[in-house]
Amino acid sequence: VPRSRGMIGAMWSRARALAVVATVFAYLAFMVCWALGDTSRHLRLAAETAGRSPREVRAMVFGGAYVHAVERIRQMIGRDEPYLVDQVDASNALGSMFWVRYDLLPRRAIAARSRAPVSALAGDCWRAQVRWEVVGLSVGSPPLLLARAARVPLGCSAAPWLATTRAAPSTKPPP
Amino acid sequence: MLSGTLARDHASGAVHEAAAMTLGWLGANVGGVALFVAPGFALTELFAPLRRLGWVQRLGYAHLLGVFAVAGSLFAASHLSGIPLRRPAIAVATLAPCALGLAAWMVRRARHARRSTAQRSLPARLPPRRIAAWRLVWALVLTVMALGPLAQALSAPAVDWDGRMIWSAQAAYLRDEGTVDAAVLRDARWFVVHPRYPLLMPVAQVAVQESFGAGEDDEFFHGLYFGFYAALLAVIYDGARRAAGPLAATLATLCAASLTYLGFGAGGATSSFSDVPLAGYFGASLVLLLEERTTVPGGLAAGCLLAGAVLTKNEGELLAIAALLLASWRLLRHRRHPAALIRLKWFLAAGLPVIAVALLLASWRAGIPNRQDEDYFRYFSLPALVRGAFARLPQIASELAHLTFLWFTWHGFWVVFLVVLAGGHLALRRRIPRLMLVAGVVPLAIGLAAYAVNEHFFRLMYETWDRFLLQGLAPLMILFAGALAHSLRGLRAPAASLPLENDGP
C-alpha cells in the first residue's frame, strides 16, 4: 500500500508539473505570436513615417487641424511669454489642457481657474497682465486661442513679457 | 550634431522644421542611449559583480548605472553649484565615468598581465564557450519581439498622459532655464503638475535633447526609455538565472517581454513614464543585494542603483528602504560569522548612496512649493490608513482583482503567474524566492496604502494599479522563474526526491 501511495504521489507531482509547464508554453506560444504580430504592425507603421518631418508625423497622429492650431498659437505666443490655460467643462475635454500645454512648451502656463483662495489671487500681479488664453476643447481637437485685454494692476509693475512687447509691439494679427 | 537641420537658430530664436524621421532622428535616439550606456558600461568595470556578467546583462546594468551617474551628477551639480544644464556639463558628466572606467580597465589589464607572466603554466586564454542552439533561438525571438516597442518608440511622438503632463514637461522647463532649480518650479503661480517629483528622468531627457540639439517638436528621448525596457529584461534574466537556472530564466524573460502592457501600455517602454526605469532600478538592486556575494563593490553598485530609484520616482524612497531592510536580513542572519564585518561594510556601501541622494532630493524640494499633487503624506496617518483599508477593502479588492486579470491589459499573464506559483509553491521554501515575493509585494502595498488614504481612490486605482504591478515586475518574475524551475525539475524526478538547490551566496 505505501509503495502504491508513493507511486500515486509521484504521478500526481509529475502531472502537476506537466500542467504548469504546459500552461507556460501554451501562454508563450500565444503571446509570442501576438507580440510578433505587434512587431510587424509597428514596423509597418514606422515605415510609413520614414522620411517625413516631425510636423507631418504629428499631423498623422494628432490630426492636421490640431497641429495647425498649435502652430498658429506658437506663432502668436512668444517662447518667453506666458498664457492662461483652461479646458471646457465637458467630460471629453478632461485633461485637454495638459495635452495642449505640452505642445506649447517651454512657454509657461498659468491656470485660468486657480484652486488658490481669492485672497491669494488678489496679490497676483501677473494674471491680469497675461495677453493670451488657450482653451482645450477635447484631446486631439484644435485648442482655442483667446486674446485678453492685458493691464497692469494698481500697485504692480509691468510683467517682463509685457515690457518686452511694449518696447517692440507685435504686428501679428489676432487669430 | 546628427541632424543639422534640427539646430535652433540662436540669432533669431526660431526653430527649423526641416527635420525628418530619418537616419538623423534615429541616430539622435540611438546616440541618446549611447550617452548613458557608454559611461555606465565604463562604471561596471569598477564593480566586480557587474564586470563578471555576460555582455547582455552587463549592458542592462550599464544603462541603469549610466543614467544614474550622468543625470544624477548633473542634478547635483546644477542644484549644489548652479552649473548650467548645457553641453559642457553634459560632456563632463558623460566623459568622466568613461575615463574612470577606462583607467580601471587598464589597471586591471596590467595586473592581469603581470599575473600571467608569473604563472606561465596557466593557459593564456580560456576555450570559447559553446552557446546552446536553443539560447540563440530565444535570443532571436526576444529581439524580434522587442522590435515592436522599439519601432513605436522611435517613430511616434509622445502620446502618453503622464509623459506629456509631468515628466517631459518638466524636462522642457529645465532645458529652457538650464537648471533644476527652475523658476517655473519654484514660483507657485506657474501651472506645473507635481513640481516636486524627483527629476532623474527629466534631467536625462535634458541631457539627450541638449546634446543632440533637439528642436521644438523633436523627441530624441524615446530611445532612452526603450533602453530601460531592455535593461529591465536583462535584469530579470540575470536575477532569474541566478535563482532558477538558464531555462527557467529564459522562459520567465520571454513571458515578461511578451507583456503587451510592458511594451506599449501607459507606463511601458514606448511611454515616458518613470515606472519602467523605477522597476529596473529596484529589480537590479534587489538582484545585487539578495543574490550576489556580500562584497563592498557589490554593495556600492546596489546602493547606486537604489539611489537611482530614489531619484526616479516618489515611490523610490520607500522601495529603497524596503530593499535595504530585506538586505539587512542577510546581515543579521550571520551576525556571529567571522565575515560579519565585511557584511557590515557591504551594507553601509549600499546604504550611503541612498542617504546622500535622499538628502539631495530633500534640499532640492525645500525650495519648491507643492501644488497640483495628491500629497499623500499630508493625509497619511495610521488611523486613516486602518480606517480606509477596512472601510474600502471590499471595493478595493474587487476592483484590483478586476484590473489585475483584465484581458485587455495583461492578456491572462497573472493567471499563468498564479498557476506557476501554485504548482511550484515548494520553491518558496528557499530564501531567494521568498524574499523576492516580499519585495514584489512592496510596490503593491504602497499602492494599497495610497488607495486607503486618498478620497479619489477609485480613479487612482484605475490610473496606477497596473504601474504598481510593473514596479514589482523584476522580483515577481524572479519568483516566477524559481517556481517554474521547481515544476521543470518535477518533470524529471518525483517531487519527494527533489533536492533543495543551493540557496544562493
Side-chain angles (χ1 to χ4, degrees), chain B residues 207-280:
Chain B
V208 177
Q209 297 282 85
E210 193 64 21
S211 298
F212 296 95
E216 210 162 15
D217 281 332
D218 299 323
E219 295 169 352
F220 297 153
F221 51 81
H222 291 298
L224 162 72
Y225 285 89
F226 178 81
F228 279 103
Y229 165 82
L232 178 61
L233 292 180
V235 165
I236 287 173
Y237 179 75
D238 183 41
R241 185 186 51 81
R242 291 167 190 250
L247 179 58
T250 301
L251 293 172
T253 311
L254 271 176
C255 284
S258 68
L259 291 172
T260 316
Y261 186 77
L262 179 61
F264 304 101
T270 54
S271 73
S272 36
F273 284 45
S274 292
D275 297 281
V276 173
L278 181 62

Side-chain angles (χ1 to χ4, degrees), chain B residues 394-444:
Chain B
Q395 267 180 301
I396 290 178
S398 105
E399 281 311 309
L400 293 188
H402 168 70
L403 289 171
T404 306
F405 299 110
L406 193 66
W407 174 260
F408 175 76
T409 317
W410 294 103
H411 297 105
F413 169 73
W414 295 109
V415 176
V416 176
F417 181 88
L418 290 180
V419 167
V420 170
L421 207 58
H425 66 277
L426 290 178
L428 284 171
R429 286 181 187 172
R430 292 170 57 203
R431 185 177 59 87
I432 287 170
R434 225 172 29 235
L435 290 177
M436 289 297 175
L437 174 64
V438 176
V441 168
V442 172
L444 310 183

